[in-house]
Amino acid sequence: MLSNQLHNGLETAKLLWSRIPNSEDGEVDGGSLLRNSNGNTVESLDYEVIENYAYREEQAQRGKLYVGYYVAVKWFLALLTGIGTGLAAVFINISVENFAGWKFALTFSIIQRSYFAGFVIYVLINLILVFSSVYIVTHFAPAAAGSGIPEIKGYLNGLDIHGILLFRTLIGKIFGSIGSVGGGLALGKEGPLVHTGACIASLLGQGGSSKYHLSSRWLQVFKSDRDRRDLVTCGCAAGVAAAFRAPVGGVLFALEEVTSWWRSQLMWRVFFTSAIVAVVVRTAMGWCKSGKCGHFGSGGFIIWDTSDGQEDYSFEELLPMAVIGVIGGLLGALFNQLTFHITYWRRNYLHKKGNRVKIIEACLISVITSAISFGLPLLRKCNPCPESDHDSGIECPRPPGMYGNYVNFYCGKDKEYNDLATIFFNTQDDAIRNLFSAKTIHEFSAQSLLTFLVMFYTLAVVTFGTAVPAGQFVPGIMIGSTYGRLVGMFVVNFYKNLNVEEGTYALLGAASFLGGSMRMTVSLCVIMVEITNNLKLLPLIMLVLLISKAVGDAFNEGFYEQQARLKGIALLESRPKYQMRNMMAKEVCRNQKVVSFPRIVKVADAVSILQSNLHNGFPVIDHVRNGETLVIGLVLRSHLLVLLQSKVDFQHSPLPCDPAGVSKSIRHNFSEFVKPVSSKGISIEDIHLSSDDLEMYIDLAPVLNPSPYVVPEDMSLTKVYNLFRQLGLRHIFVVPRASRVVGMITREDLLIEDSEDPASVELHSTSVRSLCCFTCVIFVSYYYMLEELNLIRVSQVFLYGDVPSNQLNISIDHVAIAAPWAY
């Protein structure tokens, strides 16, 4: 009976939820998913190493000394990323705290004479700060709007979103965050700090910004998207570590939330970067304690110490704590759904009217927020101060204009305080500290907490999506801690237990809302433990996070996933869709027209193909003596553009210039084929060719990738998806199934000792034919690899992958090697 009632209740909840418009039922055009918010096409990143002859020649010339230098530069750039992100966080925190401190001090000094004059000054200061933020974003750095985490997640998933890692985006993110957060909007600075760390890492990886003449040739070592991806991952972790003073939480956040690719070497560098951030922030805190940081000596660094709170909990408290998890899941899912639809309307209708509308919208929300935060406390009655406890260190009322509990606002007596003003007339960090504080039972009334919850929840939904840098970590913590404290008040009154602290339930409420909205578990759990300095609450935080995530997942996706989809950032998720189980590889590319190049291509034909197609890669075919064709490799669009622009590879004859050894005809360094990270690279419109140039020919053999990834045409799409995502691919050849096998390589064959001479290593493989030993030498010599792949006859079926991902390790027990001419 109970199970039937529970089932009916869930079905009713889902029915009610379905009446809210879903994103899939809206007018979102599925064909626009590969376009960003500005309408530009979003391209993929080349995380795969293109092993053409230029790359192989460069690798052969590098010795152990260069490899050591390369590794040392990676660690050095990780160090600089940590220092730069830490200094940026210090600057943002101190600026926000000082602007807020001056604002509250001036407001409190004026309201001693006139509350109306104080209200006007309060609104004007907030309006000026918000106007500066939205003006910077709209006129200088449009990519700095929002939190930036969906964009960085898309970049690490394999999407090249133009403008998100530029120098002006970094500047707009820093100063825009100061204006939006200091202006009192229902936003946080933690999300923008993640984007800030990623921008710093990307700029360091490319040696600085050449546009603003802030570049260094010594740092221009990372020439591939794969290396830049690793450094951006370090920057993301550094941003979280700087925002919350949670270095371990930053590492886990990068692993759980933003990255699609991970390995142990990257773990070490990410951990090192987060540790450097912790040192920088800790040093800045020590400097601020001496009073050198301006109005607020703490510097605004988040640390909500609850170690002096509730010592233990009883079994009876688990039920209300589970209720907190359910509430967090429901409110978090509703928050995601509402922000999605409001942001969709704002992006597709309101913001298309121009920057002036964006500025007016942000300023209007600023005035409304200021009016609510100043006006609602005027409607509340003041409460008498409780008996002072010298051991708690809490003063009632607090000095005017300073941070702390018990704010005296619109009170007739000196020993009174306004509990609603205690939350509103504080920075968000200090308001959360008040909600988390121990030994403050009955400081807040249920009416004030409920009023603040409704108003701040509404403001957070409406404010997110405006053209200012915006994070949702701290607003989510404020929302969750409010209803968590309400539940704590109920527990105190119901159980009559003096050991129960309302601040403990506020902490659990904050964790539940973040879990229900952002759907993070491990990283969020560690972050909450680090910022509260209370390891005793770890089991309770785990409980509410699991419940809130499970409840939220029953309704919609996580917050960042929905925002990424709204912005046209098509992510490859960790698991393939269920429909892919019944599909094969050939079904996906059945209706595609394969565009290929011959090995010797006429310049006019190459230009025509590039102008009429936007594909990133093309199969290269060659003809054998009996007239049959075979695919000899893959050539990238960017490599073709380099050849056309340089013209050094042009030849008069349509015959191979060096058919015996193509490596002798290489006229380019591998660095010439690297696309700049801060630009779109060369386009076909930028290349100017004469009529004589168009009659020339190019031999593509030196620049093509002779070893593209290949899958049989009847492979399940689920398996293709996993291969595509885990290897970080952008293209896959789809070929007919092989007719026979000449060898098999197992794990034992790949266990080569470093001390052994590679030339004398014998790979023992399970032989199926007498040619097995010859084919296994592929893994030792590139020459044999080329010779073997040139004999493979591949069907001219090509799968264009527009959305790649990052690379993961794949565990394979054995690899079968197909015989020549098997395809």
Side-chain angles (χ1 to χ4, degrees):
M1 179 68 68
L2 181 61
S3 61
N4 293 335
Q5 293 179 355
L6 180 61
H7 177 74
N8 294 334
L10 291 175
E11 292 297 328
T12 304
K14 290 183 178 180
L15 179 61
L16 293 175
W17 182 261
S18 63
R19 295 180 180 177
I20 299 179
N22 197 345
S23 59
E24 297 179 356
D25 300 330
E27 299 177 357
V28 181
D29 184 8
S32 65
L33 288 179
L34 294 179
R35 295 181 178 272
N36 59 12
S37 58
N38 298 323
N40 299 323
T41 302
V42 177
E43 295 185 0
S44 303
L45 293 168
D46 293 304
Y47 287 151
E48 179 190 355
V49 177
I50 305 301
E51 295 183 348
N52 56 23
Y53 292 100
Y55 172 81
R56 293 177 179 179
E57 187 178 70
E58 183 179 283
Q59 293 296 316
Q61 295 175 355
R62 292 179 177 179
K64 293 184 177 180
L65 181 62
Y66 182 85
V67 174
Y69 167 76
Y70 188 72
V71 174
V73 170
K74 282 187 176 182
W75 284 93
F76 179 67
L77 291 180
L79 172 66
L80 294 182
T81 301
I83 294 175
T85 307
L87 293 177
V90 170
F91 177 73
I92 293 175
N93 283 332
I94 293 178
S95 300
V96 169
E97 287 291 315
N98 278 279
F99 277 123
W102 295 331
K103 175 180 65 178
F104 290 131
L106 181 60
T107 301
F108 272 93
S109 63
I110 293 178
I111 63 176
Q112 303 298 327
R113 298 183 295 271
S114 171
Y115 274 89
F116 179 76
F119 169 74
V120 173
I121 294 298
Y122 181 75
V123 171
L124 286 178
I125 294 176
N126 286 335
L127 185 61
I128 292 173
L129 291 174
V130 173
F131 175 80
S132 65
S133 175
V134 68
Y135 188 86
I136 290 173
V137 170
T138 54
H139 289 79
F140 181 69
S147 68
I149 294 180
E151 289 84 354
I152 299 302
K153 188 173 182 178
Y155 178 85
L156 296 178
N157 194 254
L159 290 176
D160 187 9
I161 306 172
H162 182 66
I164 64 170
L165 298 175
L166 298 180
F167 179 73
R168 66 170 180 266
T169 303
L170 172 63
I171 300 301
K173 210 73 177 182
I174 293 176
F175 289 95
S177 299
I178 295 173
S180 61
V181 179
L185 295 180
L187 302 170
K189 58 181 179 293
E190 287 68 30
L193 267 176
V194 176
H195 195 177
T196 299
C199 290
I200 293 174
S202 178
L203 291 171
L204 290 173
Q206 60 178 313
S209 175
S210 58
K211 180 179 180 180
Y212 298 96
H213 306 288
L214 298 173
S215 60
S216 173
R217 295 174 54 189
W218 297 99
L219 298 178
Q220 295 177 358
V221 178
F222 289 173
K223 300 178 181 179
S224 66
D225 291 331
R226 176 179 294 189
D227 292 331
R228 293 166 182 163
R229 170 193 62 189
D230 293 351
L231 197 57
V232 169
T233 303
C234 295
C236 293
V240 176
F244 294 103
R245 286 182 56 202
V248 180
V251 176
L252 295 176
F253 176 84
L255 171 62
E256 180 182 9
E257 185 62 23
V258 297
T259 62
S260 303
W261 183 91
W262 200 262
R263 57 187 175 129
S264 58
Q265 294 89 342
L266 180 60
M267 171 78 79
W268 277 105
R269 287 198 296 274
V270 171
F271 185 77
F272 172 74
T273 307
S274 300
I276 295 300
V277 171
V279 173
V280 173
V281 174
R282 187 70 180 180
T283 303
M285 287 186 60
W287 184 65
C288 288
K289 288 181 179 178
S290 61
K292 299 179 181 179
C293 288
H295 192 274
F296 281 180
S298 63
F301 299 102
I302 294 179
I303 184 68
W304 302 308
D305 195 343
T306 61
S307 57
D308 58 344
Q310 187 169 334
E311 294 291 338
D312 199 1
Y313 51 89
S314 60
F315 181 78
E316 290 80 5
E317 294 182 65
L318 294 180
L319 179 59
M321 291 175 181
V323 172
I324 290 179
V326 174
I327 296 175
L330 295 175
L331 291 182
L334 179 62
F335 182 86
N336 294 355
Q337 199 77 3
L338 293 176
T339 52
F340 181 90
H341 291 291
I342 292 178
T343 307
Y344 173 77
W345 171 80
R346 177 183 282 131
R347 182 179 301 274
N348 290 276
Y349 297 100
L350 185 63
H351 285 180
K352 285 187 175 181
K353 297 181 180 180
N355 291 334
R356 180 179 298 179
V357 175
K358 296 179 182 179
I359 295 175
I360 294 175
E361 177 199 22
C363 293
L364 181 62
I365 292 177
S366 173
V367 173
I368 295 174
T369 304
S370 301
I372 290 175
S373 60
F374 193 96
L376 284 182
L378 297 176
L379 305 178
R380 290 293 303 166
K381 295 182 179 180
C382 293
N383 301 320
C385 289
E387 296 181 1
S388 60
D389 186 0
H390 299 286
D391 297 333
S392 64
I394 298 176
E395 183 179 359
C396 182
R398 76 177 191 189
M402 296 300 293
Y403 67 93
N405 298 71
Y406 302 110
V407 176
N408 186 297
F409 180 80
Y410 202 63
C411 297
K413 299 180 180 179
D414 293 337
K415 287 297 182 178
E416 290 183 340
Y417 74 96
N418 190 317
D419 57 347
L420 194 56
T422 302
I423 309 177
F424 273 120
F425 276 89
N426 265 312
T427 61
Q428 293 179 3
D429 296 349
D430 292 324
I432 295 171
R433 186 179 290 108
N434 294 342
L435 293 170
F436 283 0
S437 61
K439 301 179 177 61
T440 55
I441 297 179
H442 307 307
E443 176 185 358
F444 301 98
S445 64
Q447 294 83 355
S448 296
L449 290 177
L450 189 60
T451 301
F452 178 79
L453 174 62
V454 173
M455 297 309 302
F456 194 82
Y457 190 96
T458 305
L459 289 175
V461 169
V462 174
T463 307
F464 188 85
T466 53
V468 294
Q472 284 302 114
F473 273 101
V474 169
I477 293 176
M478 289 194 68
I479 294 171
S481 59
T482 303
Y483 69 75
R485 189 150 187 133
L486 280 170
V487 176
M489 295 173 60
F490 169 78
V491 173
V492 170
N493 296 328
F494 184 81
Y495 289 108
K496 306 298 182 180
N497 190 348
L498 299 179
N499 296 325
V500 175
E501 287 286 353
E502 297 175 1
T504 301
Y505 287 82
L507 168 63
L508 298 179
S512 69
F513 186 82
L514 292 179
S517 175
M518 300 179 182
R519 313 292 162 78
M520 296 186 297
T521 53
V522 179
S523 58
L524 185 57
C525 182
V526 174
I527 289 174
M528 297 303 294
V529 170
E530 287 187 284
I531 63 180
T532 56
N533 195 25
N534 194 341
L535 194 60
K536 300 176 182 177
L537 301 179
L538 178 61
L540 303 180
I541 296 175
M542 295 173 64
L543 173 66
V544 298
L545 281 176
L546 290 173
I547 296 176
S548 62
K549 184 182 186 304
V551 173
D553 286 338
F555 295 98
N556 51 29
E557 296 177 305
F559 180 78
Y560 295 128
E561 286 75 13
Q562 282 196 337
Q563 293 298 319
R565 183 154 49 88
L566 180 63
K567 295 180 179 180
I569 304 173
L571 301 176
L572 279 184
E573 301 296 336
S574 58
R575 293 184 298 177
K577 299 295 183 181
Y578 180 80
Q579 296 86 343
M580 294 183 180
R581 299 183 180 183
N582 301 321
M583 300 177 64
M584 293 185 294
K586 63 181 180 181
E587 299 179 22
V588 180
C589 54
R590 176 177 298 170
N591 298 325
Q592 293 180 353
K593 181 181 178 182
V594 179
V595 181
S596 60
F597 280 91
R599 173 180 172 177
I600 309 298
V601 60
K602 192 175 181 179
V603 174
D605 295 337
V607 172
S608 177
I609 292 176
L610 293 178
Q611 288 177 343
S612 58
N613 296 276
L614 298 178
H615 298 309
N616 174 72
F618 302 87
V620 180
I621 63 174
D622 200 359
H623 297 272
V624 294
R625 294 181 179 179
N626 58 4
E628 296 183 359
T629 60
L630 58 95
V631 175
I632 61 174
L634 168 71
V635 63
L636 296 183
R637 182 185 189 90
S638 58
H639 293 186
L640 288 171
L641 293 175
V642 171
L643 297 182
L644 293 176
Q645 187 183 50
S646 64
K647 303 181 182 180
V648 297
D649 296 276
F650 289 2
Q651 62 186 39
H652 296 279
S653 173
L655 299 176
C657 58
D658 189 8
V662 292
S663 60
K664 297 181 181 179
S665 61
I666 298 176
R667 301 182 179 92
H668 300 273
N669 295 325
F670 183 73
S671 58
E672 297 181 35
F673 299 108
V674 177
K675 188 191 76 171
V677 69
S678 58
S679 68
K680 295 183 179 181
I682 310 172
S683 64
I684 188 63
E685 289 77 13
D686 300 330
I687 300 175
H688 303 283
L689 300 171
S690 64
S691 57
D692 294 335
D693 294 334
L694 295 176
E695 298 299 323
M696 303 288 281
Y697 296 88
I698 304 176
D699 187 358
L700 301 179
V703 297
L704 60 83
N705 181 10
S707 54
Y709 285 91
V710 178
V711 297
E713 61 180 354
D714 57 349
M715 178 182 286
S716 67
L717 193 57
T718 299
K719 199 170 184 179
V720 175
Y721 183 96
N722 292 328
L723 177 69
F724 197 89
R725 187 184 191 279
Q726 293 172 359
L727 291 179
L729 304 181
R730 190 170 182 177
H731 317 90
I732 289 183
F733 281 163
V734 181
V735 301
R737 177 164 293 279
S739 60
R740 60 193 179 94
V741 177
V742 299
M744 182 176 291
I745 293 178
T746 63
R747 182 188 299 269
E748 181 181 358
D749 302 319
L750 301 178
L751 299 178
I752 303 174
E753 298 294 337
D754 294 335
S755 59
E756 297 182 14
D757 184 8
S760 61
V761 173
E762 181 179 2
L763 298 178
H764 303 283
S765 62
T766 305
S767 178
V768 180
R769 293 180 57 91
S770 59
L771 293 178
C772 175
C773 294
F774 174 75
T775 55
C776 288
V777 181
I778 293 173
F779 286 83
V780 182
S781 172
Y782 282 119
Y783 174 79
Y784 291 120
M785 178 185 292
L786 174 64
E787 183 175 358
E788 188 68 17
L789 289 175
N790 280 339
L791 292 176
I792 296 179
R793 178 170 176 263
V794 185
S795 174
Q796 296 182 27
V797 184
F798 188 74
L799 173 60
Y800 286 98
D802 291 329
V803 187
S805 177
N806 298 339
Q807 185 173 355
L808 292 173
N809 295 328
I810 299 180
S811 177
I812 301 177
D813 185 65
H814 56 267
V815 177
I817 302 179
W821 304 100
Y823 297 114

